[in-house]
Amino acid sequence: MVNDLETKSFKQLLHESFKSEDTEEWLDIYFTRPIGLFFARIWYRLGVKPNTVTILSIILGVAAGVMFAYPDLLHNIAGIVLLMFANFCDSTDGQLARLTNQKSMKGRCLDGFAGDVWFFAIYLAIVVRLFNVNMPGTEVHWGIWIFILCAISGFLCHSPQSSLADYYRQIHLLALKGTSGSELDTYKSEHAKALEAKGKKGAFWDYAFHANYQNYCKSQEKRTPEFQMLLKTIRENFGSVEEVPEEIRQDFLKGSRPLMPYTNILTFNSRAITIYITCLLGIPWLYPIVEITVGECLYIYMHRQHEKLCKSIREEIEKFKTQTN
């Protein structure tokens, strides 16, 4: 069967790989996505499957973590190169799957798992690298404290920050393009899919994905009460997002658009650059501190502003319905 990789130009494919101008980072637009697409075309010609590319990204990401465990410049440069190629593979597998119609639940499981493994390896590398090293300005080893610092950074900061940043991106795309242009999933729908897959023979990967993903969605929904109320108000008054009056939709996008740079900062690129700089300078302990301080401040601001926006749009809808009745 003929697919997009065989019929469309590189420029066309690259343009179609962008979700929207509002949500794309310049580094992805001009660097990561073009390189990812370049490799996607090579993998396609070699007959390599998307899941194979994802597994390769996991291997490269873990290898990068191992390199960051060493304090010398050569190992750290190797770590940077490996993590960059892991990210290229992450971009490649999605493009390859979409453009060749090879999307699968197993692929979604692997893709979601990959990034978590990369950063787990990196946090572990920082712990190993600093465990027997003195804290700055003291003669006391980091010891268990670097483990605690990385655990707080990874589990209490990194994970919630990136999940909510992704949620806000999908909400923006929902307002911009409707349900067809967004991957905004709900706990209710994922829970139903998990229950359905649980009773099916040979549906292990489907069940594994939905059972885990439902909790991810639940966490996002629990932290966004104003948006959940807004979504409920939209359904009660208009039936669907697509039926929301254009003026109200544009008001939401106007308020959401300035928050998109914050969602970008709290995802991969900014974190990776921070890792590169701190490891090269021999101060990897600064990376989890940046996550806990700067990252958390940006997260709190982004969250508060988005909830405030959702509340104002809900009030605008209620006022609109009063005027039209």
Side-chain angles (χ1 to χ4, degrees), residues 69-94:
Y70 294 90
D72 62 280
L73 182 63
L74 186 60
H75 278 94
N76 282 266
I77 291 175
I80 291 171
V81 173
L82 287 167
L83 189 57
M84 287 174 63
F85 273 91
N87 192 39
F88 294 151
C89 287
D90 184 60
S91 177
T92 297
D93 60 12

Side-chain angles (χ1 to χ4, degrees), residues 21-142:
E21 292 184 4
D22 293 345
T23 57
E24 295 289 348
E25 291 185 80
W26 68 268
L27 192 60
D28 288 331
I29 293 173
Y30 297 107
F31 186 62
T32 307
R33 291 289 181 87
I35 293 175
L37 180 57
F38 172 78
F39 280 117
R41 301 184 96 177
I42 292 176
W43 292 131
Y44 169 70
R45 294 189 181 99
L46 295 175
V48 177
K49 302 296 183 182
N51 290 345
T52 304
V53 180
T54 307
I55 293 171
L56 176 60
S57 82
I58 294 174
I59 295 170
L60 291 170
V62 171
V66 173
M67 295 298 104
F68 290 130
Y70 294 90
D72 62 280
L73 182 63
L74 186 60
H75 278 94
N76 282 266
I77 291 175
I80 291 171
V81 173
L82 287 167
L83 189 57
M84 287 174 63
F85 273 91
N87 192 39
F88 294 151
C89 287
D90 184 60
S91 177
T92 297
D93 60 12
Q95 290 171 311
L96 186 62
R98 180 178 62 81
L99 295 171
T100 59
N101 298 309
Q102 295 184 72
K103 294 181 180 180
S104 69
M105 195 56 64
K106 186 176 180 180
R108 290 189 71 184
C109 286
L110 281 172
D111 194 53
F113 180 65
D116 293 337
V117 174
W118 301 353
F119 279 95
F120 179 83
I122 291 167
Y123 281 120
L124 184 59
I126 293 173
V127 172
V128 171
R129 176 170 172 169
L130 297 178
F131 196 83
N132 292 314
V133 173
N134 291 345
M135 295 183 188
T138 75
E139 294 183 0
V140 180
H141 286 177
W142 277 99

